[in-house]
Amino acid sequence: MTPFEALADPNRRRILDVLRDGERPAGDLVAALGISQPGVSKHLKLLREAGLVSVRPDGQRRVYRLEPRGLADLDAWLSPYRRFWAGRLARLDEHLEREQ
């Protein structure tokens, strides 16, 4: 699964949002998302396959965290689009200032 395919699902995006604050055990993700443990496990597996999260054992628990490299790849892909929008917004700002 590619990172973009993984991000297509809103529950997987919500998992990434929760993990933005730091590592979390799978049980915390179940509570935070309000979906079943098997559902969270399925989403975590797909996020791991896409390289967006990693897991480490901690006793009986499995702790998940964001994977910087996978996110960096997404950021690199988005970079030209940010420049595109930054240029357009700058021109809009200039236009609005001239109109005032």
Side-chain angles (χ1 to χ4, degrees):
M1 170 167 288
T2 70
F4 292 102
E5 290 171 320
L7 293 175
D9 184 276
N11 286 315
R12 290 192 284 271
R13 291 191 305 270
R14 288 176 53 212
I15 289 171
L16 295 180
D17 288 343
V18 171
L19 292 176
R20 210 175 31 214
D21 294 330
E23 291 184 335
R24 300 285 291 269
D28 285 5
L29 295 170
V30 170
L33 273 66
I35 60 176
S36 69
Q37 188 278 328
V40 169
S41 292
K42 178 188 92 170
H43 291 304
L44 287 168
K45 179 181 182 227
L46 294 172
L47 288 167
R48 281 193 326 269
E49 289 173 359
L52 298 175
V53 301
S54 59
V55 62
R56 70 174 175 80
D58 181 32
Q60 296 290 333
R61 304 180 315 167
R62 296 176 66 76
V63 179
Y64 292 85
R65 68 180 178 102
L66 293 177
E67 188 56 47
R69 182 180 173 132
L71 294 170
D73 291 344
L74 287 171
D75 185 57
W77 186 85
L78 287 169
S79 181
Y81 297 96
R82 267 192 224 95
R83 286 191 302 272
F84 168 80
W85 281 110
R88 292 203 178 240
L89 292 173
R91 286 192 299 275
L92 175 61
D93 188 46
E94 292 168 5
H95 171 74
L96 293 175
E97 285 193 23
R98 281 192 309 268
E99 292 293 315
Q100 292 179 353

